[in-house]
Amino acid sequence: MLQRIKTMRSSTRSNLVTYGIVLGFYAAVQLLNAAGLLSSAFIGQLVPICAYVMLAISLNLTVGFLGELSLGHAGFMSIGAFSGVSFWMATQGRIPAWLGVLCALVIGAVCAGIFGLLIGVPVLRLEGDYLAIVTLAFGQIIVNVINALYIGIDARGLHISLKDAASLNLAEDGKVIINGAMGITNIPKASTFTLGIVLVVLTLAVVLNLIHSRAGRAITAIRDNEIAAQSIGINLTKYKLMAFIISAVFAGVAGVLYALNFTSLVSRRFDYNTSITILMFVVLGGMGSIRGSIIAAAALTVLPELMRSFGMESYRMLIYAIVLIAMMLFNSAPAAIEWRKKTAQKLQGVWAAHKKPAGTGSGKGAA
Amino acid sequence: MQFLSNLIGGVSLGSVYALIALGYTMVYGIARMLNFAHGDVIMVGAYVVFFAFCSGGMNPLLAILIAMAVCTLLGVTIERIAYRPLREAPSLAVLITAIGVSYLLQNGALLLWSANPRAFTSVVSIPPISLFGGRLTIPGNTLVNVVVCLVIMVGLWLFVNRTTPGHAMQAVSEDRGAAQLMGINVNATISLTFAIGSALAAVAGALLCSSYPMLQPTTGAMPGIKAFTAAVFGGIGSIPGALLGGILLGVIENLSKAYISTQISDAIVFLVLIVILLIKPTGLLGKKRVVKV
C-alpha cells in the first residue's frame, strides 16, 4: 500500500489529500455531533458550508484555471436554486422525496448549464474586463427578473407572469410557486450534511479529473497565454466554454443544495455581494488551488459566527476587503514577487550555512 | 407630452451617467483598467456634500468644491496605493484589487456613516420651467444636470485636445512605452487622470443625489455599474462616446421604467450592454485596437 502511494503521480497523491480533507471533515463532524459537542449554530452552517465549497471550487475553475473573472456566479446559483426548488415544490407529494431531490438537483444543474452556454457563447469572445462586467450584468438581470417573476401551477400546467400573482389566472386547485419579490415560501427542507458532502466529492471528482486531463491542460494553457495556446491549435472557444459551463453547472447544483436547506428563498440572496463573497473564497484560498478554495470557503463561512461572538461582526466585510487588496498586492505586484524571491534566496542561504552539506535545495520556494 | 417629459427625465439621468462614465472611460483609456471603485468615490463625494451642505448649511458651490478636493485626494491615493504597484501585473489581479477597493470604501462608509439612508437636499435652487401652458415642466435639477454635463464635456475635450497634459494623456493611452521614451511621466499622467475622474465623480455624486435624494453607502454601486455600461456603449476611451452612451442609457432606462416595468428596468439596461458588446464590442464611437503578439 505504502509502496503504491510512493510510486503514485504527485497530482494523484495531492488529489487524495484533498479528498481526505473533505472526508476527514465529514467524519470529524459526525463524531463530534454524536458526542454532542457541536453548537446548533454550527450544525445549521454545515449545508451552507458544503454549498459554498462547491461554489468556490466551481468558480476557481473559471477564475483560477481559465483565468477569466466571472462576477455572476451567484446568478448561476440563483438559476439552479429557483429551477430546482420550483420543481421540488411542484412535485410535492407526487413522487418520492429522494427522487424529487435528485430531479431537483439535476434540473438545477441543467438549467444553470443552459444559461452558462447562453451567456458563455457570446461573452467568451470578449476580452477579460468585458467578461467580468457582462457576467456582473447577467447576475443583476437574474436577480431583477426573478424578483419580478411569478410562477404558479394548476391542473392545466405551469403559468408564468412578470406582473403579479393575480395575472397567473390559476384554477381553483392551483398554487403559486414563485411569488415575485417574496420568492418561494414554505419549502420542505431536504438538504442534509451527508448529501452536501456527497455533492462536494462529486464536484471534486469532476473538477480534479478535468484539471489533470488533456482538456484541463488546454484550459490552463489558455490562461497562461491565449495567443500561444491558439497558435498550437487549441480551440479557444471550446475549452473556454467547457470550463465556463462546468463551473455554471456546479453553481446550479450548489444553489439547489443551498436553497433546500431553508424554508424560504428570495432572489436578493443571490446578488452581487454573494458573487463577491464566493470570489473572496477563491482569491483567499489561492487562485488555481482547489484545496485552498475548500478550506477558505469552509473557514470563511464559519468565521462570521465566530466574529459575532467576539463582537467584531460589523468589521467583517471591511477586513475582507483589506485582506483581499493586500493579498492581490502581495501575490501579483511585480515588486512584491521580486521581494519574495530575494527573501526566499536569503532564507535558503541561511539554511545552507546552517546545514553544512550545502546545496540540498530543501529551502522553501516562493509558491 | 407625457412621453416628452419621460424623455427629458431620461436625458437628465443620462447626463449624470455621462459624468460618471467620463471617469471610467478616461481611466480605462489611459491605465487600461476597470476602476470598480469609481462608483464608490461618487458615494464618498455625495456624503461630503451632504455633511457640508445639507447638514452643515454651507454654500452649495463651496460644498461641491470641497467634495471635489476630497474625492481627488481619495482617487489619487487609491491609485498610488492599490493600483500603481500592479501596473505590470495581469489584468485579473488589477480587477480583483479594484473590487476590493470598492468593497473597502462601501464598508468603510457603512461603519463611519451607518446604513441609514440620509435625505439629501437638492443642491439646485433653480425654479422649474413651465412650457406649453404648464403641460410640460422641466425641473431645475434637469436643467443643471444637462448644462453641467455639457460644460464639463466641452471643457474636458478642450483639455485633452488643446493642452500639453492632455496630449500626454492621449500619448499614454496610445502607447505607454513610447510615451515614456518621449519623456512623458507616465505615473504622473495616470495620477492626473484619476484626479480628474474623481473630481468629476464628486460633481456627479452631488447631482445624482439631488435628483434621487437618498444617500446610502451603496448609493454609488448601481449608478457606477450603469455608467460603466454607458462608457462601453459609447465606446470606451472616447469622451464624446461617454456623453452619447450616458444619455442614451438614461433615456432607455427612464422609458423602460415608464412603459415596460419599473422592476425589470435595470435588467433591460444590462441587456442593452450585453447586446452592444456582442454586436459592436468597441461601442458606438470606439476605435478598434489591434492586439500585437
Side-chain angles (χ1 to χ4, degrees), chain A residues 4 19 34 49 71 83 105 128 202 215 264 272 276 292-293 335:
Chain A
R4 272 189 66 189
Y19 288 116
I49 286 177
L71 296 176
S83 57
L105 290 168
L202 179 72
S264 66
Y272 172 62
I276 298 293
S293 288

Side-chain angles (χ1 to χ4, degrees), chain A residues 140-204:
Chain A
Q140 294 292 348
I141 292 176
I142 295 297
V143 171
N144 253 292
V145 169
I146 294 182
N147 221 13
L149 183 69
Y150 295 82
I151 291 183
I153 189 169
D154 61 12
R156 286 174 295 160
L158 278 179
H159 298 250
I160 299 173
S161 161
L162 277 172
K163 248 169 75 191
D164 50 37
S167 60
L168 288 172
N169 290 323
L170 290 178
E172 288 282 302
D173 63 327
K175 65 173 180 178
V176 178
I177 296 178
I178 301 181
N179 192 3
M182 312 246 285
I184 307 182
T185 44
N186 295 323
I187 306 169
K189 285 195 197 179
S191 293
T192 59
F193 181 46
T194 309
L195 175 67
I197 288 292
V198 170
L199 291 175
V200 168
V201 171
L202 179 72
T203 315
L204 270 180

Side-chain angles (χ1 to χ4, degrees), chain B residues 233-256:
Chain B
F233 194 175
I236 201 129
S238 148
I239 293 176
L243 178 67
L244 185 67
I247 287 181
L248 280 177
L249 201 75
V251 169
I252 292 172
E253 182 179 339
N254 235 27
L255 292 185
S256 54

